[in-house]
Amino acid sequence: MKLLNKITRNCALMLALTGGLAMSSCQKDFLDRQAQGSYDQNNYPYPGGSGPYDEFLNGAYASLRSYDVTVMPFVAAVSIRSDDADKGSTPADGPDALQMDNLNVLPSNGMTNALWLGHFDLIGKANYVIDRIENDPNPLTPAPLKVEAEAQARFLRAYSYFMMVRLFGRVPLIDKITTGSASESNIPQSGPAQLYPFIEADLQFAAANLPASYDAKFIGKITSGAANGLLTKVLLTQKKYAAAMSTASAVMSSGQYSLSVPYNTIFNEEGENSKESILEVQATADAANPTNNGSQHAQVQGVRGTGAWDLGWGFNVPSTSLEAAYEPNDPRKTRTILYSGGTTIFGEAVPAGLPNPRYNQKVYTNPVKRASVGNRGGWWMNVRLLRYADVVLMYAEAATEVGGAANITSALNALNTVRARARGGNAAILPNVVTADQETLRQAIRRERRVEMGMEYDRFFDLVRWGIAAQQLQAQGKNFVVGKHELLPIPQAQIDLSKGTLTQNPGY
């Protein structure tokens, strides 16, 4: 079974975003990890950075690419749980992923434990960067370098905590180095009322102290636009609509991003780090290192077949519900869903009779690149975590909820710019939305988010924050229980390590 074998055996060498240095991180077991936060100069990843904090920042950045943070556990929790996707692969493969799909996740589920460990690992690394800055023994380190490094670390910490509060609801709030793991540190759980102000403060600091862009050699480093974009999502999740309008406007008026990139191009290798990209996890591979410097994000979702069509594990496949959500002739459907027996975006004939009728075409790799690397797994594919169209649609949503004629007009304009890009100059499809009714516009924006961002990891969280998760998921045969299935269970392994300090979520 591909998933079970590769979870326990794969090793991923992860390339630092800013320094080009790599380390080995073999994944033998979910519990066989460095204790979160217990890093020092001798065991921290990526020694030898060029700046005073680069070696530590690079290690924190690398965690974004880790298996636990943006690969299979992430894909299962944020996509397979939704109505956009089904588990895929083969019926016997991936029982933990099947639990996610069926919303019967047990506290013993290995993926929930991986998510917990991976995100607290990132939090620990970010806290170590901040500690190094605060206790820098060199009095000559320029203050601007300190502030910028702290801003990057605080963004990474905020990103991790935002994921954790949406996944688990209540988690230990750790803002300094600990001597053991998060679960063993006797720190009780904090809930959303404590976590969200902490996340907001970190992102506000990052937005105020990061540059709008970097030199090309530092591609992928976090910018003020990324901080404001993620902050918009944090605020929208809390229904702070006026504030979300403001932060989204800051991104839209920055001049750094645009909808000029054709939808067909965004997800290709040549579309990486384009004007559409706000937060993108960097990965790379070449013939010398076909798997060692990248991410398995594309591989776990790649077409599952035989011979030349054995491109991946075949998980996270588009659902019939997503397939039916597109308007007639919407080009985004073709770019998102790859059909068994159909044709790829590169003109290849896909064999019929594959294990699944549909696959995620947004992670499909260029055959020319596969040949040049000598690998079919797509380890070189970047992970898109935040796109400009997402921010534009969040602005439209926030403006709609604030209401008033002027805001409704602004929301319509934002929504229709996304539709205009999607139609690609074809006036016969995707006409502009025209309405003055708030509820009609609200529903139009929700539909647009789904098809614009199909298979891009926001659908489950969107359904929960809109309060319609039960309605939508039950309609797809998922037994969603209100008050339980909005969250995952706290991993039993972590409750055990905490000796009862951590308590379980309701219903589990």
Side-chain angles (χ1 to χ4, degrees):
M1 296 189 298
K2 288 189 178 182
L3 178 60
L4 295 179
N5 290 340
K6 293 185 181 182
I7 281 178
T8 56
R9 292 206 303 260
N10 270 315
C11 296
L13 289 182
M14 295 172 288
L15 181 69
L17 291 181
T18 58
L21 300 169
M23 62 167 289
S24 177
S25 176
C26 292
Q27 194 174 130
K28 293 188 293 183
D29 185 270
F30 284 135
L31 294 176
D32 184 16
R33 308 296 173 85
Q34 172 73 38
Q36 295 89 18
S38 62
Y39 301 100
D40 59 35
Q41 292 184 69
N42 296 317
N43 67 15
Y44 203 97
Y46 301 101
S50 60
Y53 313 112
D54 283 359
E55 61 188 285
F56 312 114
L57 276 170
N58 289 346
Y61 270 110
S63 285
L64 280 177
R65 194 169 35 255
S66 76
Y67 189 92
D68 295 351
V69 174
T70 53
V71 187
M72 191 62 214
F74 168 78
V75 168
V78 303
S79 187
I80 292 174
R81 274 199 301 168
S82 79
D83 56 351
D84 268 6
D86 299 319
K87 176 183 77 74
S89 187
T90 61
D93 199 11
D96 283 352
L98 183 62
Q99 288 182 19
M100 293 281 189
D101 197 9
N102 292 336
L103 299 184
N104 61 354
V105 182
L106 299 177
S108 59
N109 186 288
M111 289 184 176
T112 63
N113 198 45
L115 289 163
W116 183 281
L117 289 169
H119 286 89
F120 269 116
D121 179 68
L122 176 53
I123 290 165
K125 288 175 180 174
N127 282 336
Y128 189 78
V129 173
I130 295 168
D131 181 82
R132 291 289 298 173
I133 295 166
E134 292 175 347
N135 296 289
D136 189 341
N138 184 358
L140 300 179
T141 302
L145 288 180
K146 291 185 174 184
V147 171
E148 185 181 322
E150 180 182 351
Q152 292 178 69
R154 290 181 67 173
F155 176 97
L156 293 169
R157 184 172 67 181
Y159 170 82
S160 198
Y161 266 118
F162 186 41
M163 285 296 300
M164 291 288 275
V165 71
R166 292 184 296 169
L167 290 170
F168 297 107
R170 301 172 304 116
V171 298
L173 180 54
I174 302 174
D175 62 355
K176 59 183 181 299
I177 294 177
T178 59
T179 57
S181 74
S183 301
E184 294 174 304
S185 298
N186 295 317
I187 299 172
Q189 290 145 292
S190 294
Q194 295 78 41
L195 293 168
Y196 275 115
F198 182 79
I199 293 166
E200 287 183 39
D202 271 358
L203 291 175
Q204 288 163 353
F205 183 89
N209 292 288
L210 288 172
S213 64
Y214 289 92
D215 185 274
K217 66 183 178 180
F218 295 125
I219 197 73
K221 287 183 71 173
I222 295 158
T223 62
S224 58
N228 275 317
L230 186 60
L231 181 55
T232 299
K233 193 162 291 190
V234 170
L235 294 167
L236 205 60
T237 300
Q238 301 173 83
K239 297 179 169 52
K240 295 181 177 180
Y241 297 119
M245 278 185 68
S246 177
T247 51
S249 294
V251 178
M252 295 164 68
S253 63
S254 69
Q256 298 296 316
Y257 314 101
S258 77
L259 295 171
S260 60
V261 183
Y263 196 83
N264 272 350
T265 303
I266 295 170
F267 312 99
N268 298 352
E269 286 92 336
E270 63 267 30
E272 293 180 345
N273 301 309
S274 69
K275 297 287 282 186
E276 178 76 16
S277 174
I278 297 178
L279 179 61
E280 191 164 319
V281 180
Q282 307 297 297
T284 188
D286 54 35
N289 295 291
T291 63
N292 291 345
N293 297 326
S295 166
Q296 287 180 277
H297 178 85
Q299 184 183 42
V300 300
Q301 302 176 71
V303 174
R304 182 172 184 138
T306 59
W309 285 97
D310 183 20
L311 303 178
W313 304 2
F315 287 98
N316 193 42
V317 298
S319 66
T320 55
S321 174
L322 176 62
E323 184 181 34
Y326 293 89
E327 295 171 58
N329 301 312
D330 187 337
R332 293 173 294 191
K333 180 179 180 180
T334 302
R335 185 62 186 85
T336 302
I337 303 176
L338 176 62
Y339 289 94
S340 176
T343 305
T344 75
I345 56 171
F346 300 104
E348 305 155 284
V350 183
L354 294 174
N356 295 276
R358 295 171 298 276
Y359 292 92
N360 180 5
Q361 188 149 218
K362 286 182 175 176
V363 297
Y364 188 78
T365 56
N366 190 323
V368 174
K369 179 69 173 179
R370 294 199 297 268
S372 70
V373 174
N375 179 273
R376 296 194 295 271
W379 288 64
W380 55 88
M381 293 285 280
N382 286 1
V383 184
R384 279 76 164 173
L385 293 180
L386 183 62
R387 292 198 288 116
Y388 182 59
D390 185 2
V391 172
V392 173
L393 290 173
M394 287 193 289
Y395 172 85
E397 181 179 338
T400 299
E401 298 303 332
V402 171
N407 287 326
I408 293 295
T409 298
S410 295
L412 273 171
N413 290 338
L415 168 62
N416 285 325
T417 60
V418 174
R419 290 175 66 81
R421 192 263 297 275
R423 78 173 69 100
N426 184 353
I429 61 172
L430 302 176
N432 280 350
V433 176
V434 180
T435 183
D437 179 70
Q438 185 184 41
E439 178 59 24
T440 301
L441 182 55
R442 177 183 293 122
Q443 296 304 322
I445 292 168
R446 290 180 180 183
R447 286 193 299 270
E448 199 69 26
R449 276 190 69 80
R450 186 177 195 190
V451 296
E452 171 69 24
M453 301 177 62
M455 306 300 292
E456 289 186 62
Y457 320 123
D458 271 282
R459 178 66 175 172
F460 185 86
F461 294 139
D462 282 348
L463 291 176
V464 169
R465 67 184 179 83
W466 291 333
I468 61 172
Q471 170 192 333
Q472 292 297 123
L473 296 177
Q474 288 171 7
Q476 301 306 314
K478 295 178 187 259
N479 185 29
F480 187 97
V481 176
V482 175
K484 175 182 179 180
H485 288 132
E486 293 87 351
L487 301 173
L488 293 170
I490 304 299
Q492 188 62 46
Q494 302 307 317
I495 293 175
D496 294 344
L497 283 172
S498 77
K499 295 181 171 57
T501 299
L502 302 181
T503 59
Q504 188 53 268
N505 280 332
Y508 289 102

